[in-house]
Amino acid sequence: MSKIIRIGTRDSELALYQANAVKQQLEFLGHKTVLVPIKSTGDLVLDKPLYELGITGIFTRTLDIAMLNGDIDIAVHSLKDVPTVLPKGIVQAAVLKRGNVRDTLVYKNTEEFLGYREAVIATGSLRRRAQWLNRYPTHTIEEIRGNVNTRLQKLEDTAHWNGAIFAAAGIGRLELRPEEAVNLEWMIPAPAQGAIMIAALEEDQETRTILSEINHEETEICTGIEREFLNRLEGGCTAPIGALAYIKDEVVNFDAVLLSNDGSKKITVSRVKKVGEHYDLAEWCANYVIEKGGKRLMDDLRKSSKPTNIYSTKSFTEAQKQLFHEKVVAESSDFIKISLNRIPPRFLKHEIQNVVITSQNAVEALLTNFSAIELQFKNIYCVGRRTKRSIENRIGKVTHSEKNAKKLSEYLVEFMEGSEVTYFCSDLRLDELPTILAENNIKVNEVEAYQTKMDGVNINESIEGVLFYSPSTVQSFKQENTVDEGMIAFCIGETTAKEASKHFKDVRVAKVPTVESVIELVNAHYV
């Protein structure tokens, strides 16, 4: 292969170690490679929204976006961090031979505390917490976050902690495993723990063929079973689930566990199958757990979640819900209902020289009333990437687009041909665009393409922040709610933020005008 394979990786020490492991194996086979550390999704441009692509992983979506944008050829991940359903267009191309699968207890001075009634263990994992409390119900678990180095330092600095739990593979790869450490053979690890996975574009057959040379088949089989079990059991809920498959003497051995968050309830399953007859292993074990009370336990886990602290004025898709930081408990509903109007044919009797469309709702209204061929527009001007994409996919070429109505109106004043526009808008449209155009002697023919009806709900007192996507969602929220001191408005763009600033002291604006970017704003607040 003559081209250089660009290896995408997060820039943490552990991620770089894993990427270098892939780099070394590829270069040993004679392929040229280069590492491309990726820091943030904020400045990356997407052709499709994240939810349409199925991008959900907190630790993987930055690399997913970079690969779909063509900035990297492959992405290296800890397989345990990868969602069980990959984004459209991305496939698992290879897994390296698995490292140590176990969890490791790093303790201070002595292990004697394991026999004490009271002890304090640090972990940020629900799975580790639940299994520890199941074994040591009188112990206390405290939260710990950060990379491996940070967590080891926190353990050393926190006097009342007796120990902390780490992935054996992580501290081993970084050569940070202290002498005061012991593998927890009784603790069932996270599905695919210890495995390094390489993702590639589905259409890139040349790169996928190369990656197949470094794929470790036994690891692929075992992690595949574990991840299928997780996928079948989890159903979108974050739950304490462990799963481990290993092959010995041509037999697949599988052990798995589901627990309540406090460890008081535990359902286990173990099963063996010959290699080649293992394909229904995950399905059988997941069904067994569900039948043994797993469904009820999963329902209890969902109901026992923390109080809602974030509310969205637009309903989320399931994929969008999974993007949130674990400290965020979000609810959503549509504060705005759209009703498409009948547009009289007289408005389109002749070709219209200049048309302004500021939302996808206007596009839907036009295409509900007319076929695309009937829409004779010479120049189409619009607001927003999604609106532009919808117009060009369904109506015709967009002459020019801007991020908001103010910028578009300023462009029209400067560059538009003619002195008249037809503006397909809502009954609750903002005054900014028609006002600026009128002040500059441009005639605006407004056509009410759809109606915006406010349908807000009263939210509970635990809400710390609200997500807004248009000025009308702010107005709808305000009709039903009082803004509490300290409540944050997370806004999709400047126009929405301008309306929110009339009621909120703390207003934050997404870098990119997408729902996913607003969610990233929320996550950044809770880190």
Side-chain angles (χ1 to χ4, degrees), residues 73-270:
D73 299 304
I74 63 175
V76 180
H77 303 294
S78 294
L79 185 51
K80 72 181 180 65
D81 293 334
V82 179
T84 55
V85 178
L86 297 178
K88 293 177 183 176
I90 294 177
V91 295
Q92 176 179 309
V95 287
L96 302 189
K97 185 176 181 180
R98 201 175 201 176
N100 192 331
V101 301
R102 292 297 176 185
D103 294 296
T104 295
L105 173 68
V106 177
Y107 55 88
K108 293 181 175 180
N109 304 319
T110 175
E111 299 175 64
E112 290 183 4
F113 75 89
L114 293 174
Y116 300 165
R117 176 174 175 78
E118 295 183 1
V120 181
I121 298 297
T123 178
S125 162
L126 281 175
R127 174 189 57 81
R128 292 168 181 159
R129 170 193 294 266
Q131 290 190 75
W132 190 273
L133 289 175
N134 179 264
R135 191 177 182 92
Y136 303 103
T138 61
H139 286 187
T140 300
I141 303 293
E142 293 192 6
E143 191 83 2
I144 186 171
R145 290 287 169 194
N147 60 37
V148 175
N149 286 291
T150 300
R151 283 181 284 150
L152 285 169
Q153 189 61 50
K154 283 183 179 178
L155 174 60
E156 184 178 337
D157 294 342
T158 308
H160 69 284
W161 286 356
N162 297 100
I165 307 173
F166 296 80
I171 58 175
R173 286 166 180 160
L174 296 178
E175 299 182 353
L176 293 173
R177 184 185 178 100
E179 290 185 11
E180 298 82 9
V182 59
N183 284 351
L184 302 173
E185 301 293 337
W186 55 267
M187 184 174 282
I188 298 180
Q193 185 161 304
I196 297 172
M197 179 269 242
I198 306 105
L201 292 176
E202 186 174 15
E203 63 186 20
D204 190 354
Q205 290 294 337
E206 185 179 9
T207 300
R208 289 174 62 188
T209 299
I210 290 171
L211 291 174
S212 68
E213 298 176 51
I214 63 173
N215 183 61
H216 189 256
E217 185 177 4
E218 183 174 318
T219 300
E220 179 185 20
I221 291 171
C222 292
T223 56
I225 293 168
E226 294 162 19
R227 283 166 58 76
E228 183 186 347
F229 174 81
L230 176 66
N231 177 267
R232 289 181 176 276
L233 194 61
E234 193 170 15
C237 172
T238 300
I241 295 174
L244 176 62
Y246 62 94
I247 296 174
K248 185 176 181 180
D249 299 328
E250 295 300 307
V251 172
V252 180
N253 300 263
F254 183 66
D255 299 299
V257 64
L258 168 67
L259 305 100
S260 60
N261 284 336
D262 63 1
S264 62
K265 298 175 182 176
K266 176 181 175 183
I267 303 171
T268 60
V269 61
S270 296

Side-chain angles (χ1 to χ4, degrees), residues 14 21 34 63 129 132 146 159 173 176 215 222 288 290 302 307 332 355 360 424 428 453 493 505 526:
L14 182 57
V34 63
L63 298 179
R129 170 193 294 266
W132 190 273
R173 286 166 180 160
L176 293 173
N215 183 61
C222 292
Y288 175 88
I290 290 169
R302 293 185 181 97
S332 63
V355 166
Q360 292 182 82
F424 293 97
L428 294 181
K453 299 179 181 179
K505 291 183 179 179
Y526 283 96

Side-chain angles (χ1 to χ4, degrees), residues 270-524:
S270 296
R271 191 168 173 81
V272 297
K273 279 270 191 171
K274 290 182 179 179
V275 175
E277 299 176 4
H278 63 272
Y279 300 104
D280 66 343
L281 187 54
E283 180 181 10
W284 189 95
C285 290
N287 289 338
Y288 175 88
V289 169
I290 290 169
E291 291 168 5
K292 290 295 181 179
K295 183 179 185 305
R296 183 172 63 254
L297 182 50
M298 294 293 288
D299 289 341
D300 290 343
L301 287 167
R302 293 185 181 97
K303 291 174 184 176
S304 66
S305 60
K306 303 171 186 176
T308 302
N309 53 9
I310 291 294
Y311 207 101
S312 170
T313 55
K314 177 182 175 65
S315 294
F316 290 129
T317 65
E318 285 302 315
Q320 287 168 343
K321 292 176 184 176
Q322 294 180 38
L323 293 176
F324 281 104
H325 189 284
E326 63 180 20
K327 293 182 181 178
V328 178
V329 183
E331 286 188 20
S332 63
S333 62
D334 291 317
F335 274 54
I336 294 296
K337 296 287 192 280
I338 299 301
S339 176
L340 304 181
N341 289 347
R342 179 182 177 275
I343 302 175
R346 68 175 184 274
F347 288 110
L348 286 96
K349 290 180 81 173
H350 306 288
E351 182 185 60
I352 302 176
Q353 183 180 15
N354 299 307
V355 166
V356 172
I357 300 173
T358 56
S359 76
Q360 292 182 82
N361 295 319
V363 177
E364 293 298 331
L366 284 166
L367 292 172
T368 298
N369 283 272
F370 307 98
S371 65
I373 200 169
E374 293 177 285
L375 301 177
Q376 301 178 58
F377 302 149
K378 182 179 179 181
N379 296 306
I380 303 176
Y381 303 95
C382 74
V383 172
R385 288 183 313 173
R386 292 185 182 180
T387 304
K388 178 183 179 182
R389 186 164 54 247
S390 181
I391 292 169
E392 294 194 328
N393 286 341
R394 305 170 69 187
I395 298 176
K397 181 70 176 173
V398 170
T399 304
H400 188 79
S401 67
E402 289 286 354
K403 292 201 310 186
N404 57 56
K406 184 175 185 294
K407 286 185 178 293
L408 180 61
S409 58
E410 291 170 349
Y411 176 88
L412 294 173
V413 169
E414 185 74 21
F415 300 106
M416 188 189 78
E417 299 176 6
S419 58
E420 186 173 342
V421 301
T422 298
Y423 179 21
F424 293 97
C425 59
S426 165
D427 60 326
L428 294 181
R429 61 105 178 112
L430 295 177
D431 295 331
E432 198 165 38
L433 185 144
T435 298
I436 291 174
L437 295 183
E439 288 173 348
N440 287 273
N441 300 314
I442 296 176
K443 181 181 178 182
V444 181
N445 301 313
E446 295 187 27
V447 180
E448 190 179 294
Y450 62 97
Q451 294 182 0
T452 303
K453 299 179 181 179
M454 297 188 182
D455 193 26
V457 299
N458 185 260
I459 64 174
N460 63 53
E461 295 179 356
S462 66
I463 299 300
E464 298 166 357
V466 187
L467 282 63
F468 296 111
Y469 310 93
S470 67
S472 53
T473 57
V474 179
Q475 295 160 6
S476 181
F477 174 85
K478 195 64 181 64
Q479 280 189 355
E480 299 293 332
N481 298 278
T482 301
V483 176
D484 294 336
E485 186 74 22
M487 189 179 284
I488 304 169
F490 298 96
C491 300
I492 198 167
E494 295 292 347
T495 306
T496 303
K498 183 178 179 181
E499 181 67 25
S501 64
K502 297 176 183 177
H503 314 288
F504 293 79
K505 291 183 179 179
D506 191 346
V507 178
R508 306 182 189 184
V509 186
K511 292 181 180 179
V512 183
T514 64
V515 176
E516 293 73 27
S517 189
V518 182
I519 292 173
E520 285 193 357
L521 266 186
V522 175
N523 287 339

Side-chain angles (χ1 to χ4, degrees), residues 9-79:
T9 174
R10 295 170 67 210
D11 61 354
S12 71
E13 188 176 358
L14 182 57
L16 288 169
Y17 171 93
Q18 295 178 161
N20 272 304
V22 174
K23 178 181 174 69
Q24 289 169 11
Q25 291 203 27
L26 289 173
E27 291 185 346
F28 180 78
L29 295 174
H31 304 290
K32 296 178 182 178
T33 68
V34 63
L35 293 186
V36 183
I38 304 291
K39 283 183 174 293
S40 171
T41 63
D43 297 323
L44 294 174
V45 178
L46 290 175
D47 291 326
K48 291 185 178 181
L50 293 180
Y51 67 85
E52 285 188 10
L53 297 167
I55 296 176
T56 60
I58 288 291
F59 298 111
T60 61
R61 67 175 182 267
T62 298
L63 298 179
D64 291 336
I65 295 167
M67 187 154 50
L68 290 166
N69 279 342
D71 298 326
I72 58 176
D73 299 304
I74 63 175
V76 180
H77 303 294
S78 294
L79 185 51

